[in-house]
Amino acid sequence: MPVYTLPELPYDYSALAPVISPEIIELHHDKHHAAYVKGANDTLEQLAEAREKESWGSINGLEKNLAFHLSGHVLHSIYWHNMTGEGGGEPLAVDGVGELADAITESFGSFAGFKAQLTKAAATTQGSGWGVLAYEPLSGRLVVEQVYDHQGNVGQGSTPILVFDAWEHAFYLQYKNQKVDFIEAMWQVVNWQDVARRYAAAKSRTDVLLLAP
Ligand code: MN
């Protein structure tokens, strides 16, 4: 079976400056994201060992570790592509993003309302977590989720398409305790074309959840 691997960054460490410093990007990708990849692989090995030995004393911890590390890997893999040095602005003004812009307006009433909700959700995360824009397939709507750690407080089946990392490691070297300043600055580097691609892909793979018995 394939194991998880750390994806390469789609840009140089300095590509998102001054919104995010090169030092943060390097540490965040090369150390933090890498640790989640290793954690997911290590946990899969430990689960294989548990099956082999029929030794289930650590099952609760192992399942939690798998959810944590795998979700960390998934969210960071999206995060890097959600950002670009040429990003920002409102999606309506970006080529090829009209369908996503319409969905945001339909789901949240306005872009301003959506932006305020995602900013607030990310900036007020208690402890470690994320603010996430996700496609929810049962309603066909977009929703904002405030994710605990990497894996908690999410709606099952929803697909994250725009993720704001609100862990301290994402901003502290540069923004210190001003998490809200960091989240507000993040809007300057959003890669709307990437978010729009993810929206289209999420919409097209929802049938499995909608299957009737
Ligand atoms: Mn992170």
Side-chain angles (χ1 to χ4, degrees):
M1 290 292 285
V3 292
Y4 301 110
T5 55
L6 180 66
E8 285 191 19
L9 280 176
Y11 35 67
D12 295 337
Y13 295 133
S14 59
L16 304 175
V19 173
I20 308 179
S21 72
E23 185 184 20
I24 288 179
I25 296 294
E26 182 173 2
L27 281 169
H28 198 168
H29 175 268
D30 294 6
K31 303 297 182 188
H32 292 277
H33 188 171
Y36 302 130
V37 172
K38 182 176 188 309
N41 289 329
D42 288 352
T43 308
L44 285 180
E45 278 180 22
Q46 290 156 13
L47 282 162
E49 198 178 308
R51 290 192 298 276
E52 180 113 351
K53 295 180 176 168
E54 297 184 38
S55 167
W56 299 112
S58 303
I59 184 69
N60 288 356
L62 290 174
E63 295 292 359
K64 185 174 184 216
N65 287 347
L66 182 63
F68 177 83
H69 291 295
L70 178 53
S71 299
H73 178 35
V74 167
L75 288 176
H76 285 92
S77 297
I78 298 168
Y79 181 62
W80 308 123
H81 287 274
N82 276 170
M83 300 184 288
T84 170
E86 290 81 50
E90 295 203 13
L92 255 184
V94 181
D95 280 349
V97 183
E99 198 185 349
L100 170 67
D102 289 346
I104 287 174
T105 304
E106 282 166 28
S107 299
F108 299 98
S110 66
F111 178 75
F114 154 68
K115 185 177 176 183
Q117 185 178 343
L118 181 52
T119 299
K120 208 68 176 171
T124 62
T125 311
Q126 295 177 326
S128 298
W130 299 70
V132 169
L133 173 67
Y135 178 72
E136 197 291 294
L138 293 184
S139 64
R141 292 168 67 96
L142 294 166
V143 294
V144 165
E145 298 176 336
Q146 187 183 54
V147 178
Y148 305 152
D149 292 330
H150 306 301
Q151 77 278 27
N153 209 36
V154 299
Q156 297 286 359
S158 62
T159 303
I161 63 172
L162 171 62
V163 300
F164 284 7
D165 194 334
W167 283 55
E168 287 188 346
H169 67 224
F171 66 89
Y172 212 85
L173 285 174
Q174 185 177 352
Y175 291 84
K176 306 295 190 292
N177 61 324
Q178 301 301 313
K179 180 155 67 173
V180 68
D181 290 352
F182 168 63
I183 300 299
E184 283 174 358
M186 278 290 300
W187 292 99
Q188 298 170 42
V189 293
V190 172
N191 183 343
W192 288 113
Q193 286 170 331
D194 180 69
V195 182
R197 280 193 295 272
R198 292 175 190 279
Y199 173 66
K203 267 182 74 173
S204 70
R205 69 169 180 88
T206 58
D207 50 327
V208 66
L209 276 172
L210 299 170
L211 280 180

